Amino acid sequence: MEEIRTAHNRGLNARQAEVRTSTFYTFYFLILPCIKPLTVYCSLITIYAMKISNLFFAILYSLFLCFLLFLPQTIRAQESEYDLLQALPLAQGTEKIDVLVKLSLRTNDIDKAKQWATEALALAQTATYQDGIASAYICLGNVSKYLIHSVIATDSLDGIAQKYGTTVEEIMKNSLLLSEGIFEGQTLWIVTPASRVEAENYFLKALEIRKLQNFVDGQVWAYQRLAALAKDGNDWDKAEKYYLEIIKIRENDWNVNRGEI
C-alpha cells in the first residue's frame, strides 16, 4: 500500500511539474516575444524545441515563434508613414524638410509624393539647406518618371501606348499587368521619353550638389538612380557609363581612406 501511495504521489508531482513547465513556456514564448530582445527568444526557442519529442512540431512551433518576433517590426514599418504625418505639424526648420522627404520616399501615392517633395524643395531652398535640396531633387526624380492614366471605357493598351509615345510592353511592366486586359477606372503607370528626361534632370541636379559637398554616398545614390533610369529606357551605354562612375568614385574613396591620395 505504501508503495502504491508513493507511486501515486510521484505521478501527481510529475503532472504538476508538467503544468508548471507548460505555463513557463507559454509565458516565455507567447508573451515575451513582444517585449524582450531577439537573442533571448532564439536561445529559449532552441531549448524548448529540444525538449519536445516530436521534431516536426518543434520545428513548426519554432517557425511560428519567429513569426511573432518579427511581427511587431512589420507593424512598426506599416505605421511609419502615419508616425511621420503625426510628427509633421510639430516639425520646424530642417527637421520638417527631412520629414517631408521621408514621406515622399515612403508613400505609394505619386500625387502626394510630388506634393511633399515640392514643398520640401521650396523650404530647403529658402533655408539654403543643401542636403534637403539634394534629397528633394531625388524624390522629384522618382515621381516625375511616372504619369498616371485612369482607364476609361473606350481605352485599349494600344491606344494608350500611342497616346503617350510608349509601348504596350512598357505599360504592362510599369503597371504590373499580367495580361493586356484592362478595365474602366483602373490606374496605369506610364513612363514616357519626356518623363524620363525630366526625372534625369532632377537626378543630375542632386548629383551636382553632392559633388560640391564631396558626399560620396550621395553621389553613388544619384548615379544609381540615373543608371536604373537608363536601363529602364534600354539605354545600356548610358547605364554602363553611370556604373563606371560609381566604381571610380568608390575606388577614389578607398584610396583616400588608405592615404594614397
Side-chain angles (χ1 to χ4, degrees):
M1 182 64 69
E2 186 64 27
E3 293 178 355
I4 295 175
R5 186 180 296 110
T6 301
H8 174 74
N9 290 336
R10 288 177 179 173
L12 181 62
N13 292 336
R15 286 193 294 273
Q16 290 175 345
E18 289 177 0
V19 171
R20 287 195 297 269
T21 302
S22 299
T23 303
F24 170 81
Y25 284 126
T26 300
F27 175 76
Y28 271 89
F29 292 100
L30 294 181
I31 298 177
L32 288 186
C34 298
I35 54 177
K36 290 291 182 181
L38 178 64
T39 52
V40 174
Y41 307 126
C42 291
S43 60
L44 290 175
I45 288 171
T46 303
I47 294 172
Y48 187 52
M50 290 174 62
K51 288 182 174 292
I52 301 178
S53 58
N54 190 324
L55 181 59
F56 173 77
F57 179 76
I59 295 173
L60 187 65
Y61 194 70
S62 296
L63 291 174
F64 169 71
L65 295 176
C66 289
F67 167 76
L68 290 181
L69 294 179
F70 293 103
L71 182 61
Q73 298 178 13
T74 305
I75 294 174
R76 283 196 296 272
Q78 292 173 346
E79 293 175 346
S80 59
E81 185 176 333
Y82 171 81
D83 293 338
L84 290 170
L85 286 171
Q86 296 299 309
L88 185 58
L90 303 176
Q92 300 291 331
T94 58
E95 182 184 357
K96 183 174 183 179
I97 297 170
D98 293 337
V99 171
L100 287 168
V101 167
K102 290 177 182 178
L103 280 168
S104 180
L105 289 172
R106 295 184 186 185
T107 185
N108 291 323
D109 188 322
I110 289 184
D111 291 332
K112 287 184 178 180
K114 186 174 292 187
Q115 174 188 340
W116 286 325
T118 302
E119 184 179 354
L121 178 60
L123 291 174
Q125 288 175 333
T126 301
T128 62
Y129 178 38
Q130 297 301 313
D131 282 337
I133 295 173
S135 297
Y137 278 142
I138 291 291
C139 294
L140 286 170
N142 289 337
V143 296
S144 297
K145 171 184 172 182
Y146 297 103
L147 301 176
I148 299 300
H149 178 87
S150 183
V151 177
I152 60 176
T154 57
D155 273 342
S156 67
L157 281 183
D158 287 328
I160 296 172
Q162 291 178 6
K163 176 181 178 180
Y164 290 100
T166 183
T167 64
V168 171
E169 291 74 18
E170 280 286 311
I171 296 176
M172 292 181 64
K173 180 181 71 173
N174 292 311
S175 301
L176 304 179
L177 301 180
L178 299 178
S179 68
E180 295 188 13
I182 55 176
F183 54 87
E184 186 176 3
Q186 186 176 8
T187 297
L188 300 179
W189 293 37
I190 312 294
V191 179
T192 68
S195 66
R196 279 198 183 93
V197 171
E198 184 179 1
E200 184 179 23
N201 288 335
Y202 281 124
F203 292 143
L204 289 172
K205 289 179 180 180
L207 177 61
E208 183 179 352
I209 293 173
R210 294 311 191 188
K211 285 182 176 179
L212 292 174
Q213 293 177 312
N214 197 27
F215 181 27
V216 172
D217 288 339
Q219 294 177 54
V220 169
W221 192 22
Y223 273 125
Q224 286 174 338
R225 302 309 305 152
L226 286 165
L229 192 66
K231 284 174 57 181
D232 188 58
N234 294 322
D235 191 341
W236 299 103
D237 291 336
K238 185 178 285 188
E240 182 183 10
K241 182 186 74 172
Y242 290 138
Y243 282 126
L244 289 175
E245 287 293 335
I246 293 174
I247 295 172
K248 182 179 177 181
I249 290 171
R250 288 301 189 192
E251 287 179 346
N252 289 339
D253 184 53
W254 171 255
N255 292 332
V256 168
N257 290 332
R258 293 176 61 191
E260 296 183 1
I261 295 180

